[in-house]
Amino acid sequence: MSAWHIAPLNPCDAPWPLLLDADPSRDKVQGYLPRSTCFAAHADADGAVLGLCVLLPTESGAWELMNIAVAPGQQRRGLGSALLRHAIAWVHAQGARRLDVGTGSFGDQLLFYQRAGFRVVAVERDFFVRHYPEPLWERGLRHRDMLRLALDLPGA
Ligand SMILES: CC(C)(COP(=O)(O)OP(=O)(O)OC[C@H]1O[C@@H](n2cnc3c(N)ncnc32)[C@H](O)[C@@H]1OP(=O)(O)O)[C@@H](O)C(=O)NCCC(=O)NCCS
Protein backbone atom coordinates (compact mmCIF):
# COMPACT_ATOMS: atom_id res chain seq x y z
CA MET A 1 0.00 0.00 0.00
CA SER A 2 1.27 3.47 -0.81
CA ALA A 3 1.89 6.04 1.95
CA TRP A 4 -0.89 8.13 3.43
CA HIS A 5 -1.44 10.72 6.11
CA ILE A 6 -4.39 11.90 8.19
CA ALA A 7 -5.49 15.55 7.94
CA PRO A 8 -8.64 17.63 8.57
CA LEU A 9 -11.23 17.47 5.78
CA ASN A 10 -13.79 20.11 4.89
CA PRO A 11 -17.17 18.32 5.27
CA CYS A 12 -18.17 19.62 1.80
CA ASP A 13 -15.27 17.65 0.32
CA ALA A 14 -16.22 14.32 1.93
CA PRO A 15 -16.80 11.75 -0.86
CA TRP A 16 -20.42 10.51 -0.83
CA PRO A 17 -19.64 6.90 -1.77
CA LEU A 18 -17.53 6.57 1.39
CA LEU A 19 -20.10 8.31 3.61
CA LEU A 20 -22.90 6.09 2.29
CA ASP A 21 -20.80 2.96 2.77
CA ALA A 22 -20.91 3.54 6.53
CA ASP A 23 -24.37 5.10 6.70
CA PRO A 24 -26.72 4.29 3.79
CA SER A 25 -29.21 7.03 4.77
CA ARG A 26 -28.37 10.10 2.66
CA ASP A 27 -30.92 12.10 4.66
CA LYS A 28 -29.23 11.30 7.95
CA VAL A 29 -25.77 12.11 6.58
CA GLN A 30 -27.03 15.41 5.16
CA GLY A 31 -28.43 16.17 8.61
CA TYR A 32 -25.14 15.86 10.50
CA LEU A 33 -22.38 16.43 7.92
CA PRO A 34 -22.46 20.27 7.69
CA ARG A 35 -22.13 20.62 11.52
CA SER A 36 -19.40 18.01 11.83
CA THR A 37 -15.63 17.84 12.19
CA CYS A 38 -14.07 15.51 9.61
CA PHE A 39 -10.69 13.91 9.17
CA ALA A 40 -9.47 11.99 6.16
CA ALA A 41 -6.66 9.63 5.31
CA HIS A 42 -5.15 11.09 2.13
CA ALA A 43 -2.83 9.30 -0.28
CA ASP A 44 0.54 11.08 -0.15
CA ALA A 45 0.89 10.70 -3.92
CA ASP A 46 -2.21 12.58 -5.10
CA GLY A 47 -4.21 13.58 -2.02
CA ALA A 48 -7.04 11.15 -2.81
CA VAL A 49 -9.33 10.44 0.14
CA LEU A 50 -8.78 6.78 1.11
CA GLY A 51 -10.86 6.91 4.28
CA LEU A 52 -12.66 9.36 6.53
CA CYS A 53 -14.28 9.84 9.91
CA VAL A 54 -17.00 12.29 10.96
CA LEU A 55 -17.42 13.62 14.52
CA LEU A 56 -20.17 15.63 16.18
CA PRO A 57 -20.41 17.07 19.70
CA THR A 58 -23.34 15.75 21.76
CA GLU A 59 -25.58 17.68 24.13
CA SER A 60 -24.03 15.90 27.13
CA GLY A 61 -20.54 17.24 26.38
CA ALA A 62 -19.30 14.03 24.78
CA TRP A 63 -18.59 13.52 21.08
CA GLU A 64 -20.13 11.00 18.73
CA LEU A 65 -18.44 9.23 15.86
CA MET A 66 -21.14 9.60 13.21
CA ASN A 67 -19.37 7.94 10.30
CA ILE A 68 -16.13 6.12 9.56
CA ALA A 69 -15.30 4.44 6.27
CA VAL A 70 -12.31 3.22 4.31
CA ALA A 71 -12.40 2.72 0.52
CA PRO A 72 -13.14 -0.95 -0.24
CA GLY A 73 -9.74 -1.57 -1.89
CA GLN A 74 -7.90 -0.15 1.13
CA GLN A 75 -9.67 -2.00 3.95
CA ARG A 76 -8.01 -4.43 6.42
CA ARG A 77 -4.70 -2.55 6.22
CA GLY A 78 -4.94 -0.58 9.43
CA LEU A 79 -6.32 2.65 7.94
CA GLY A 80 -9.63 2.47 9.78
CA SER A 81 -7.87 1.83 13.10
CA ALA A 82 -5.53 4.77 12.45
CA LEU A 83 -8.51 7.05 11.72
CA LEU A 84 -10.25 5.83 14.86
CA ARG A 85 -7.14 6.44 16.99
CA HIS A 86 -6.83 9.91 15.47
CA ALA A 87 -10.49 10.67 16.27
CA ILE A 88 -10.07 9.45 19.87
CA ALA A 89 -6.93 11.56 20.40
CA TRP A 90 -8.56 14.65 18.86
CA VAL A 91 -11.75 14.33 20.96
CA HIS A 92 -9.62 13.81 24.08
CA ALA A 93 -7.65 16.96 23.22
CA GLN A 94 -10.96 18.89 23.13
CA GLY A 95 -11.41 17.98 26.80
CA ALA A 96 -14.19 15.42 26.23
CA ARG A 97 -14.46 12.46 28.58
CA ARG A 98 -16.33 10.10 26.26
CA LEU A 99 -16.64 9.13 22.61
CA ASP A 100 -19.93 7.51 21.57
CA VAL A 101 -20.81 5.47 18.50
CA GLY A 102 -23.83 3.53 17.31
CA THR A 103 -23.35 0.31 15.34
CA GLY A 104 -25.02 -2.97 14.43
CA SER A 105 -25.45 -5.66 17.04
CA PHE A 106 -23.19 -8.15 15.21
CA GLY A 107 -20.45 -8.24 12.58
CA ASP A 108 -17.06 -6.84 11.73
CA GLN A 109 -17.74 -3.25 12.73
CA LEU A 110 -18.62 -4.30 16.26
CA LEU A 111 -15.29 -6.14 16.53
CA PHE A 112 -13.51 -3.11 15.08
CA TYR A 113 -14.85 -0.82 17.86
CA GLN A 114 -14.48 -3.33 20.68
CA ARG A 115 -10.85 -3.89 19.76
CA ALA A 116 -10.35 -0.15 20.26
CA GLY A 117 -11.81 -0.38 23.77
CA PHE A 118 -15.43 0.65 23.18
CA ARG A 119 -18.00 -0.95 25.51
CA VAL A 120 -21.72 -1.52 25.03
CA VAL A 121 -23.83 0.95 27.02
CA ALA A 122 -27.32 0.49 25.53
CA VAL A 123 -29.38 -1.28 22.89
CA GLU A 124 -31.90 0.49 20.67
CA ARG A 125 -34.18 -2.32 19.57
CA ASP A 126 -35.41 -2.18 15.95
CA PHE A 127 -33.46 1.05 15.30
CA PHE A 128 -32.42 -0.03 11.78
CA VAL A 129 -35.95 -1.22 10.98
CA ARG A 130 -37.54 2.06 12.08
CA HIS A 131 -34.96 4.51 10.69
CA TYR A 132 -33.77 2.96 7.41
CA PRO A 133 -36.18 2.48 4.49
CA GLU A 134 -34.14 -0.39 2.98
CA PRO A 135 -33.28 -3.49 5.03
CA LEU A 136 -29.57 -3.72 5.96
CA TRP A 137 -28.14 -7.21 5.49
CA GLU A 138 -24.78 -8.61 6.60
CA ARG A 139 -23.84 -12.23 5.94
CA GLY A 140 -27.45 -13.17 5.36
CA LEU A 141 -28.72 -11.66 8.61
CA ARG A 142 -30.78 -8.48 8.78
CA HIS A 143 -29.55 -5.71 11.07
CA ARG A 144 -32.38 -4.73 13.41
CA ASP A 145 -30.97 -3.50 16.71
CA MET A 146 -28.39 -0.77 17.20
CA LEU A 147 -25.82 -1.02 19.96
CA ARG A 148 -24.75 2.22 21.60
CA LEU A 149 -21.04 1.95 22.40
CA ALA A 150 -18.88 4.34 24.40
CA LEU A 151 -15.18 4.78 25.04
CA ASP A 152 -14.38 6.49 28.33
CA LEU A 153 -11.43 8.86 27.99
CA PRO A 154 -9.05 9.63 30.82
CA GLY A 155 -9.63 12.93 32.65
CA ALA A 156 -7.78 15.94 31.31
C1 LIG B 1 -15.11 -0.63 9.48
C2 LIG B 1 -13.95 -0.04 8.64
C3 LIG B 1 -13.95 1.48 8.74
C4 LIG B 1 -12.63 -0.59 9.23
O1 LIG B 1 -11.57 -0.03 8.46
P1 LIG B 1 -10.31 -0.92 8.06
O2 LIG B 1 -9.26 -0.03 7.50
O3 LIG B 1 -10.76 -2.06 7.23
O4 LIG B 1 -9.90 -1.44 9.52
P2 LIG B 1 -8.52 -2.03 10.00
O5 LIG B 1 -7.68 -2.53 8.85
O6 LIG B 1 -7.89 -1.02 10.88
O7 LIG B 1 -9.06 -3.32 10.79
C5 LIG B 1 -9.19 -3.34 12.17
C6 LIG B 1 -9.99 -4.57 12.61
O8 LIG B 1 -11.39 -4.37 12.35
C7 LIG B 1 -11.99 -5.65 12.06
N1 LIG B 1 -12.45 -5.61 10.68
C8 LIG B 1 -12.59 -4.51 9.93
N2 LIG B 1 -13.11 -4.83 8.72
C9 LIG B 1 -13.28 -6.17 8.73
C10 LIG B 1 -13.78 -7.10 7.77
N3 LIG B 1 -14.24 -6.71 6.56
N4 LIG B 1 -13.81 -8.41 8.08
C11 LIG B 1 -13.36 -8.84 9.30
N5 LIG B 1 -12.88 -7.98 10.25
C12 LIG B 1 -12.85 -6.67 9.97
C13 LIG B 1 -10.91 -6.67 12.26
O9 LIG B 1 -10.91 -7.04 13.61
C14 LIG B 1 -9.67 -5.87 11.91
O10 LIG B 1 -8.50 -6.39 12.44
P3 LIG B 1 -7.66 -7.51 11.62
O11 LIG B 1 -7.44 -7.00 10.23
O12 LIG B 1 -6.40 -7.64 12.43
O13 LIG B 1 -8.51 -8.75 11.65
C15 LIG B 1 -14.04 -0.52 7.17
O14 LIG B 1 -14.13 -1.92 7.13
C16 LIG B 1 -15.20 0.10 6.40
O15 LIG B 1 -15.07 1.17 5.82
N6 LIG B 1 -16.35 -0.61 6.35
C17 LIG B 1 -17.51 -0.09 5.60
C18 LIG B 1 -18.12 1.10 6.29
C19 LIG B 1 -18.59 0.77 7.70
O16 LIG B 1 -19.21 -0.25 7.93
N7 LIG B 1 -18.28 1.68 8.65
C20 LIG B 1 -18.65 1.53 10.05
C21 LIG B 1 -20.09 1.84 10.28
S1 LIG B 1 -20.56 1.45 11.98
Side-chain angles (χ1 to χ4, degrees), residues 119-124 146-149:
R119 303 280 304 273
V120 177
V121 290
V123 184
E124 290 194 37
M146 184 175 78
L147 295 186
R148 302 287 319 170
L149 309 181

Side-chain angles (χ1 to χ4, degrees), residues 21-22 68-70 75-81 102-103 108-109 111-113 115:
D21 212 14
I68 183 165
V70 171
Q75 290 177 9
R76 302 299 301 274
R77 294 169 175 174
L79 252 153
S81 300
T103 193
D108 301 322
Q109 292 84 354
L111 188 62
F112 172 71
Y113 293 122
R115 276 188 159 188

Side-chain angles (χ1 to χ4, degrees), residues 56-64 91 96-100:
L56 210 60
T58 71
E59 287 172 4
S60 63
W63 283 74
E64 181 168 354
V91 162
R97 302 290 296 271
R98 210 182 68 237
L99 179 60
D100 297 334

Side-chain angles (χ1 to χ4, degrees), residues 7-108:
L9 177 73
N10 187 327
C12 319
D13 297 331
W16 275 97
L18 273 181
L19 291 165
L20 294 174
D21 212 14
D23 184 347
S25 168
R26 185 176 279 270
D27 284 353
K28 279 192 186 303
V29 177
Q30 271 165 344
Y32 59 71
L33 190 63
R35 305 178 280 128
S36 70
T37 297
C38 300
F39 296 98
H42 296 272
D44 284 351
D46 59 2
V49 175
L50 307 177
L52 56 72
C53 63
V54 180
L55 295 158
L56 210 60
T58 71
E59 287 172 4
S60 63
W63 283 74
E64 181 168 354
L65 181 67
M66 305 301 293
N67 196 305
I68 183 165
V70 171
Q74 305 288 338
Q75 290 177 9
R76 302 299 301 274
R77 294 169 175 174
L79 252 153
S81 300
L83 277 164
L84 187 57
R85 281 195 302 273
H86 187 88
I88 292 166
W90 185 85
V91 162
H92 191 212
Q94 306 310 301
R97 302 290 296 271
R98 210 182 68 237
L99 179 60
D100 297 334
V101 68
T103 193
S105 57
F106 62 90
D108 301 322

